[in-house]
Amino acid sequence: MAEIKLNNLTKRWGDFVGVDDQSLHIKDREFLVLLGPSGCGKTTTMRMIAGLEDPTAGEIWIGDRMVNDDLPKDRDVAMVFQNYGLYPHMTIFENIAYPLRVRGVDKSEVKPRVEKAAEQVELTQFLDRKPKALSGGQRQRVALARAIVRTPKVFLMDEPLSNLDAKLRVTMRAELKHLSRELQITTVYVTHDQIEAMTLADRVAVMKHGVIQQLGTPDEIYNDPANLFVAGFIGSPAMNLINGSVRNGMFVTTGGTQLVKLDAADRAKAILGVRADDMQVHDAGQGDIDVTIYAFENTGESTLLTVQWGKQRVIARGDRHLRKDQDEVVGISLDPDHLYLFDPETEDRIRI
Amino acid sequence: MTGRQRKQFWRAVHAALILVAMFVMLVPIVWIFLAAFKTHVDVYQLKLFFTPTLENFGIVFDDPYRLGQKLFNSTIVALVTVVIAIPIATLAAYSFSRFSMRGETMMLVIILATQFVPAVVIILPFFVMFRDIGLLDTRVGLILVNLAIVMPFAIWMIKGFIDGIPMDTEEAAMVDGSSRLQVIRNIVLPMAAPGLLTSGIFCFIIAWNEFLFALILTNKEAVTLPIGLALFKGEEGDLWNLLSAAGIIIMAPMFVLALMIRKYFVQGMTMGAVR
């Protein structure tokens, strides 16, 4: 068990910057998720921690040791890969036992430890099979068992659930969370799926273009996004971002509709952010503004109304019993306590 | 023609074309098979039915032909070539596949380009060099030449197989605690084994059939089977029955090997050589 410190870490390939001078302190036993779209540098960051990629500049510390020049095998980390990275010519038992065997663990000790790891991921009955004979979810469990068989200092997980189908992903997510609480080992988890990030993480680092945009608890990044990118990336459906301006304490849309009272200084250009859940749907004439329904979707647990708002479309979440139809007019009101204002030029949050 | 008749017609054309191709390819081999069991008298007649004899096989191993020694030379040269070529080619192919080096593409192209040089062009320098260092008419000399011939081929082919091993698997092994050599031994070699076997057999076939270099660089001690065939051109004309018997001895191991690697043949061709 150990903390991880990244000091001014940079990775460049020629002119391309993968990770740009980033520092990050991951606490002992913390579950940290690196979240971002593809190409944001999250996987590169993890691969540098694992030793599979050499940093261009900066330091990597695991515990009290700088590991920059250590080979992957000497860093005492375990990694779960997106494509599982199993050894197809070995049985499941041999796969799980490999980290022990190659490190020269005593033979009498290997068997009980492999069996215990297999039990933790419910694989006991498959130990004699080859990976080819297992399903995707089972293969991912083998990869997990191989990682936990050896109590490493750090777990690294590179999009471990993204190759599974949607239903299995939810089950495996819960299993992962359970396992990580049980094992209490510092974990770095890479994903582009914000739900995985929200549900699994102690803290989330949202990345874009090799730069950490915001580091915080899932609560913080959801309810208090630092900038336009984080606001738009977290949440499903994504936060509505409405172009307009602030005039005399009111937010006015680009189309000229006075929308909502805002305690902010006047500015010619601003973006108002509001989540679908922070909008109420009323009958026509009863909300802050009347809008036409562009599309009505019933997801079962709630309803989603895409409404035409001047030239922009906005998504509001309605009650699950609400029934409306396309082209109907409804009233919408915004929750004044959960509005976010952004500067469209710098993309920074304007605190209100 | 109805649709069904048309279908039958094309199926017949299909079958006919295959038969023609088979005929063209197999007739010489069938001829040799028949001739090998014919007596000197029968051999010039295209008889399909005759009393078969095994005496040809006896004669070719006796004086003055002594095919046994040539068989021994061929076996040693081909086997040693493979045993040396495959491990070296594997390491080279692994490096080409997994490490990026300055001028890597250039090196690969140059290695491949050596295959385009006609053997006749470089045979004279080989002869002169071998004469100077005393390698003429030795098995060691032939092994060296064969290595030069099969290595580029083996490197390209094995590289194709190693390229097919997912990087994830190797990286997992490294994080799990393996050194680079352990990764190669525990992960890459077992996973590439079918490819290595196929490449080995291909190399064996090339070395076994090599003719031109053996013809120029040997004359007595290190003569191989393909050169041995020339012995049967005597003063009394071509001894076709003996020639055919020797031909079968040359071909037999090839047939066995071809059967063994049937499964990997296409894979080997497409993975290694073509890609």
Side-chain angles (χ1 to χ4, degrees):
Chain A
M1 294 180 209
E3 53 179 15
I4 303 171
K5 274 195 215 125
L6 310 179
N7 296 335
N8 304 96
L9 199 61
T10 299
K11 177 70 187 182
R12 265 184 255 115
W13 289 275
D15 286 341
F16 181 80
V17 180
V19 176
D20 191 7
D21 195 23
Q22 295 299 296
S23 296
L24 182 62
H25 181 181
I26 302 161
K27 297 175 214 151
D28 186 21
R29 300 173 187 212
E30 184 174 32
F31 196 116
L32 182 106
V33 171
L34 292 170
L35 174 68
S38 55
C40 73
K42 56 191 193 301
T43 299
T44 308
T45 306
M46 166 173 284
R47 288 172 60 84
M48 285 193 281
I49 299 174
L52 297 172
E53 210 84 66
D54 287 328
T56 313
E59 294 177 351
I60 303 164
W61 291 75
I62 297 177
D64 43 17
R65 182 178 166 76
M66 190 175 91
V67 296
N68 280 46
D69 299 325
D70 288 356
L71 290 172
K73 72 186 177 78
D74 300 324
R75 297 193 181 196
D76 199 9
V77 300
M79 188 157 169
V80 176
F81 291 81
Q82 181 175 359
N83 300 317
Y84 321 130
L86 301 183
Y87 313 130
H89 56 292
M90 300 184 192
T91 64
I92 303 308
F93 184 94
E94 289 165 341
N95 263 280
I96 301 175
Y98 186 78
L100 301 177
R101 292 231 166 109
V102 80
R103 282 166 201 273
V105 171
D106 196 57
K107 267 198 172 156
S108 61
E109 218 182 302
V110 170
K111 196 160 186 258
R113 281 173 73 174
V114 170
E115 278 168 357
K116 188 177 164 233
E119 201 174 313
Q120 276 174 303
V121 297
E122 297 165 30
L123 274 175
T124 314
Q125 49 184 328
F126 302 113
L127 286 176
D128 299 333
R129 296 203 194 164
K130 290 270 177 79
K132 211 164 61 178
L134 300 190
S135 70
Q138 289 164 338
R139 283 180 206 183
Q140 194 52 277
R141 286 206 182 99
V142 178
L144 268 177
R146 194 175 61 185
I148 65 178
V149 74
R150 192 182 60 80
T151 328
K153 279 194 192 136
V154 174
F155 276 142
L156 303 172
M157 304 197 185
D158 186 9
E159 311 224 9
L161 304 183
S162 60
N163 277 9
L164 306 178
D165 65 55
K167 202 173 165 190
L168 199 55
R169 210 176 301 159
V170 177
T171 343
M172 282 293 289
R173 206 171 66 205
E175 286 178 26
L176 255 180
K177 175 133 199 178
H178 182 84
L179 204 61
S180 77
R181 279 290 149 84
E182 215 170 73
L183 295 168
Q184 295 276 326
I185 288 176
T186 315
T187 303
V188 182
Y189 185 105
V190 162
T191 184
H192 62 264
D193 182 319
Q194 38 117 359
I195 301 199
E196 280 173 30
M198 293 294 293
T199 51
L200 290 169
D202 295 324
R203 282 194 304 163
V204 180
V206 185
M207 288 187 80
K208 179 194 169 192
H209 297 330
V211 176
I212 296 173
Q213 305 289 313
Q214 186 174 4
L215 175 66
T217 63
D219 250 350
E220 283 164 4
I221 61 159
Y222 188 85
N223 292 317
D224 195 12
N227 60 31
L228 200 59
F229 175 77
V230 177
F233 196 75
I234 308 289
S236 171
M239 183 186 282
N240 294 299
L241 300 168
I242 304 159
N243 288 302
S245 55
V246 182
R247 260 181 257 159
N248 307 322
M250 290 289 281
F251 183 84
V252 184
T253 64
T254 321
T257 322
Q258 295 217 338
L259 194 61
V260 64
K261 257 200 155 115
L262 273 183
D263 194 12
D266 285 10
R267 50 175 60 233
K269 275 186 171 173
I271 292 176
L272 181 74
V274 55
R275 293 205 184 276
D277 307 72
D278 296 327
M279 291 202 267
Q280 284 83 47
V281 183
H282 310 275
D283 288 334
Q286 306 211 337
D288 295 343
I289 182 176
D290 281 350
V291 287
T292 315
I293 295 178
Y294 174 80
F296 178 85
E297 294 163 288
N298 180 4
T299 64
E301 77 258 25
S302 68
T303 53
L304 291 175
L305 291 81
T306 307
V307 298
Q308 192 76 38
W309 199 320
K311 283 179 185 154
Q312 305 176 49
R313 282 179 202 145
V314 169
I315 300 181
R317 200 188 290 278
D319 186 83
R320 74 185 174 106
H321 299 299
L322 185 75
R323 289 296 174 268
K324 292 285 177 190
D325 213 341
Q326 204 161 308
D327 298 331
E328 267 186 76
V329 175
V330 291
I332 293 277
S333 61
L334 311 184
D335 180 348
D337 295 336
H338 292 101
L339 296 178
Y340 308 89
L341 201 62
F342 302 95
D343 183 330
E345 249 100 73
T346 63
E347 304 205 341
D348 284 336
R349 174 98 174 266
I350 304 163
R351 299 281 165 180
I352 41 176
Chain B
M1 278 195 289
T2 66
R4 195 167 155 206
Q5 279 170 325
R6 197 175 305 143
K7 215 170 180 179
Q8 276 172 344
F9 170 73
W10 283 114
R11 204 173 286 165
V13 170
H14 190 159
L17 284 176
I18 289 177
L19 281 176
V20 170
M22 268 176 62
F23 185 78
V24 170
M25 285 187 276
L26 288 180
V27 157
I29 293 173
V30 170
W31 191 91
I32 282 185
F33 258 98
L34 294 175
F37 297 98
K38 285 178 179 173
T39 60
H40 186 54
V41 186
D42 283 340
V43 81
Y44 288 100
Q45 297 168 345
L46 265 182
K47 285 200 288 198
L48 281 179
F49 300 99
F50 54 92
T51 328
T53 166
L54 282 173
E55 70 172 355
N56 294 330
F57 291 90
I59 296 172
V60 296
F61 281 102
D62 270 345
D63 277 336
Y65 305 117
R66 306 246 312 263
L67 212 58
Q69 187 214 355
K70 282 136 197 119
L71 181 63
F72 178 73
N73 285 341
S74 269
T75 312
I76 292 292
V77 168
L79 272 183
V80 174
T81 299
V82 170
V83 167
I84 295 176
I86 294 302
I88 297 177
T90 305
L91 291 176
Y94 183 83
S95 304
F96 276 122
S97 178
R98 295 308 198 211
F99 304 124
S100 51
M101 290 168 277
R102 192 184 295 236
E104 183 182 347
T105 322
M106 197 61 188
M107 276 158 77
L108 268 173
V109 170
I110 290 174
I111 286 175
L112 188 65
T114 60
Q115 296 285 68
F116 300 144
V117 179
V120 200
V121 176
I122 51 170
I123 203 156
L124 191 66
F126 260 116
F127 182 85
V128 175
M129 277 192 297
F130 276 17
R131 191 190 56 198
D132 292 351
I133 53 178
L135 283 176
L136 271 188
D137 200 20
T138 60
R139 288 189 287 267
V140 175
L142 273 191
I143 289 168
L144 286 176
V145 170
N146 275 307
L147 277 175
I149 298 173
V150 301
M151 282 290 274
F153 175 77
I155 290 173
W156 270 83
M157 191 162 165
I158 296 173
K159 178 179 177 294
F161 282 105
I162 292 178
D163 285 345
I165 298 175
M167 204 60 203
D168 270 8
T169 311
E170 270 185 59
E171 290 180 342
M174 278 194 262
V175 177
D176 278 346
S178 329
S179 64
R180 182 67 76 169
L181 281 175
Q182 281 172 320
V183 169
I184 295 179
R185 197 181 61 207
N186 298 341
I187 309 298
V188 176
L189 289 187
M191 284 178 77
L196 298 186
L197 183 72
T198 312
S199 310
I201 290 175
F202 271 106
C203 291
F204 185 88
I205 293 173
I206 294 175
W208 182 264
N209 289 340
E210 201 288 316
F211 178 77
L212 193 59
F213 282 98
L215 178 70
I216 307 289
L217 300 178
T218 67
N219 55 41
K220 189 159 172 281
E221 293 302 321
V223 174
T224 56
L225 277 180
I227 311 306
L229 285 185
L231 291 174
F232 304 110
K233 272 166 122 52
E235 284 160 11
E236 58 273 54
D238 298 340
L239 306 165
W240 285 109
N241 49 333
L242 299 184
L243 205 68
S244 300
I248 283 182
I249 293 167
I250 295 181
M251 284 193 295
M254 298 301 101
F255 282 129
V256 175
L257 291 176
L259 276 178
M260 275 169 63
I261 61 165
R262 198 165 42 160
K263 191 167 123 199
Y264 305 112
F265 194 83
V266 177
Q267 197 192 359
M269 298 291 272
T270 52
M271 276 186 76
V274 179
R275 188 162 74 169

